[in-house]
Amino acid sequence: MGDRYEERASRLDGAKVWTLTVPQGSVHPVLPDGCMDLLWIDGRLLVAGPDTRAEAPSGSGGGSYAGIRFAPGTAPALLGVPAHELRDRRVALADLWPAALVGELTERVAGAADPAAALEDIAVHRAADTGPPDAAMRSVAAQLDSGRTVAQTAQSVGLGARQLHRRSLHAFGYGPKTLARVLRLQRALALVRAGTPYAEAALLAGCADQAHLAREMRDLAGTTVTGYFGDRGPSAPDPPGTR
């Protein structure tokens, strides 16, 4: 029996609420996706920063996990920390928010019948008390995800190359070129998962050819497309892992 992953749209704009049940001994890499997550793992509240490389999930021992995944560029305002400070890191929420508050929130999630819904409540209430995400950076993420080039996107939002890079570090954890690569890889994998042949998926996602997709998969995921899907097959759901 494999991983059981479920997700739904959150009340928080652009976010996804997810749960994951991992059987004993299951290991599956967590690929970069441009997002950040608030996690409930082993009775602890954690934050997963933006990844630039595949991460081995911490759930290989089995268990149930929950999280809320924030759309690219939306988490820094809510968490109160620039994304680049959390790049390729997993940190305790208590390292970012007051310990007393996190203690109360931990008790709340631990006592909830639905930890994922409790995480969503935390995020929704926090968002009501913080400033909105950087609208320009949300537009940058949407445009890059649609396949527009970094130059086209920068011109669209009225930012020079240096300004765009600086604001992207704060919003996404890395520059716009890296975000574009990450989002392109995710587009390609989504197409493969839907049954599109590898070569066609590469072109539709914005890669030059299948070999380009293979190189990106090696660089960002440390594996091949076939190796990534493995025995699950391309049509299997793609859990974010436990970060």
Side-chain angles (χ1 to χ4, degrees):
M1 183 176 180
D3 299 352
R4 187 171 75 250
Y5 173 71
E6 296 179 354
E7 74 171 27
R8 62 173 175 79
S10 170
R11 306 194 313 273
L12 191 66
D13 185 31
K16 297 287 187 180
V17 179
W18 57 266
T19 59
L20 174 67
T21 301
V22 181
Q24 187 73 27
S26 175
V27 176
H28 196 71
V30 181
L31 302 194
D33 59 6
C35 301
M36 297 170 63
D37 293 65
L38 176 62
L39 308 170
W40 178 248
I41 298 178
D42 297 331
R44 300 177 63 210
L45 290 169
L46 305 173
V47 173
D51 291 328
T52 60
R53 58 181 183 269
E55 288 285 335
S58 58
S60 58
S64 296
Y65 310 91
I68 178 166
R69 186 169 66 250
F70 305 108
T74 62
L78 187 145
L79 295 173
V81 61
H84 65 82
E85 293 188 10
L86 301 177
R87 183 173 54 232
D88 294 319
R89 296 178 62 200
R90 310 292 179 259
V91 301
L93 184 60
D95 291 341
L96 308 179
W97 294 1
L101 171 61
V102 175
E104 294 175 5
L105 297 176
T106 298
E107 290 182 6
R108 187 183 307 171
V109 178
D114 183 350
L119 287 175
E120 182 183 23
D121 287 341
I122 290 171
V124 169
H125 289 134
R126 177 75 175 187
D129 295 331
T130 59
D134 187 331
M137 292 300 98
R138 293 205 68 181
S139 176
V140 165
Q143 291 186 56
L144 293 178
D145 196 29
S146 73
R148 300 197 77 185
T149 67
V150 171
Q152 290 170 334
T153 301
Q155 183 176 26
S156 173
V157 296
L159 294 174
R162 289 186 178 180
Q163 283 182 309
L164 177 59
H165 189 80
R166 176 177 54 80
R167 288 174 65 172
S168 292
L169 288 178
H170 187 284
F172 311 123
Y174 32 63
K177 290 183 180 179
T178 298
L179 179 64
R181 290 179 66 201
V182 166
L183 295 176
R184 182 175 60 201
L185 179 62
Q186 288 292 336
R187 290 197 301 274
L189 293 177
L191 287 164
V192 172
R193 193 175 298 113
T196 306
Y198 291 0
E200 184 180 353
L203 293 174
L204 289 173
C207 294
D209 51 29
Q210 186 174 342
H212 183 194
L213 172 59
R215 290 193 300 272
E216 291 291 86
M217 193 68 185
R218 267 197 315 273
D219 289 347
L220 295 171
T223 185
T224 64
V225 177
T226 302
Y228 174 68
F229 287 109
D231 294 337
R232 301 181 315 145
S235 62
D238 184 24
T242 53
R243 298 277 186 173

